[in-house]
Amino acid sequence: MTGYPIRDRLALVAGLLGPFLVALALVPFRTDLSRTNAALILVVVVVVVVAVAAIGSRTAGAVAALSAAAWFDFFLTRPYQTFDITASADIETAVLLLIVGLIVSQLAARARRLEAITVTDAGHLARIHETAELAQSAKSSDTVVDHVRRELTELLGLRGCRFEYGTLMGQPPRLEQDGNLAVGRRHRDLDASGWPDGEIELRTHRNGRYLGRFMLTPGPGPVPPLQARLVAVTLADQTGAALDTAGPVRDG
């Protein structure tokens, strides 16, 4: 668990211990409490833990569901203090408890992922909007180039990023408009193979004319998702609005 953030660790502990403590607290009442009502109480516990899991991790919800089913069996079904179940109805209740817990945990995890995507989208839109405004208002194209270079470094987790004006030299791997990477005439599967060694070019165009290129040096981290790569391409294209009036443009 040392590799988990603190909130994820707390969610995992809650998922493991929460159902255990509640099931233990129900032991004095197990002869008077129906199995269905006991299971419903544990479902509530699972839902509470899953609420934590929505902030923590998907794993916490699954652990809570497994823990609830196990301790329901151990403490609240005959024979007590064993993981054996003799009544078919109790087996069905335990299985349903597990299934409900797992389904709810998956829904919570999906909600958390969608929220993260929304936040990420908002950040990407802010980058694009800020760069577009700067391209229209900046008095020097160098200001826009430096701004986009910093944005690309942060967005793509680069070790380095520089800009080249002028004629294309060499044939380095190229980040294309669709966010894929072209190496020669082939496309590289970035998700499977990661970034290639060396620099990667990201060309800047304006009205179909080549203006220059950003030379990207990937960092040691994972390849950014397609969404981030598409934003990078958009930022490079916006640079063209400033470069178009910076001097002679060479076709590439």
Side-chain angles (χ1 to χ4, degrees):
M1 291 177 59
T2 55
Y4 286 82
I6 183 64
R7 67 179 185 181
D8 288 4
R9 280 181 272 173
L10 291 175
L12 285 171
V13 171
L16 184 63
L17 295 182
F20 168 76
L21 294 175
V22 172
L24 186 62
L26 292 176
V27 168
F29 312 101
R30 63 189 176 191
T31 56
D32 301 322
L33 190 67
S34 70
R35 305 291 184 273
T36 302
N37 288 338
L40 288 175
I41 293 173
L42 288 174
V43 166
V44 172
V45 177
V46 172
V47 171
V48 171
V49 173
V50 165
V52 177
I55 303 174
S57 68
R58 179 200 310 254
T59 307
V63 168
L66 291 168
S67 179
W71 298 122
F72 171 78
D73 176 9
F74 189 82
F75 286 119
L76 304 176
T77 64
R78 298 179 187 275
Y80 299 129
Q81 278 74 59
T82 72
F83 288 105
D84 297 328
I85 302 180
T86 56
S88 59
D90 290 341
I91 295 176
E92 293 175 359
T93 302
V95 172
L96 288 174
L97 175 59
L98 175 61
I99 292 174
V100 169
L102 291 175
I103 290 174
V104 174
S105 69
Q106 293 299 313
L107 291 175
R110 179 174 175 80
R112 182 192 180 194
R113 184 172 63 86
L114 290 175
E115 180 183 5
I117 291 174
T118 301
V119 172
T120 301
D121 286 345
H124 289 341
L125 288 174
R127 290 180 191 273
I128 294 171
H129 179 70
E130 183 180 356
T131 302
E133 285 190 336
L134 183 63
Q136 293 176 0
S137 62
K139 297 180 179 180
S140 169
S141 62
D142 290 340
T143 301
V144 180
V145 169
D146 288 342
H147 169 78
V148 172
R149 185 171 51 80
R150 291 191 298 270
E151 291 291 321
L152 292 175
T153 299
E154 181 179 351
L155 178 65
L156 301 178
L158 303 176
R159 184 184 294 115
C161 179
R162 59 189 180 87
F163 188 80
E164 288 185 349
Y165 296 89
T167 306
L168 290 168
M169 298 291 290
Q171 294 183 328
R174 183 175 67 255
L175 188 61
E176 299 190 312
Q177 292 293 310
D178 59 2
N180 291 315
L181 190 75
V183 182
R185 297 183 178 180
R186 296 184 177 182
H187 283 88
R188 182 182 178 93
D189 187 346
L190 290 174
D191 293 330
S193 304
W195 292 120
D197 295 331
E199 290 184 313
I200 297 167
E201 68 173 9
L202 173 56
R203 297 180 183 179
T204 297
H205 296 86
R206 178 70 170 175
N207 297 325
R209 296 175 298 173
Y210 168 73
L211 300 174
R213 61 183 179 179
F214 290 94
M215 300 301 294
L216 318 175
T217 303
V223 175
L226 177 61
Q227 186 184 54
R229 302 198 301 269
L230 290 173
V231 173
V233 171
T234 302
L235 295 177
D237 286 342
Q238 288 179 330
T239 310
L243 292 176
D244 198 25
T245 57
V249 175
R250 304 184 185 184
D251 294 330

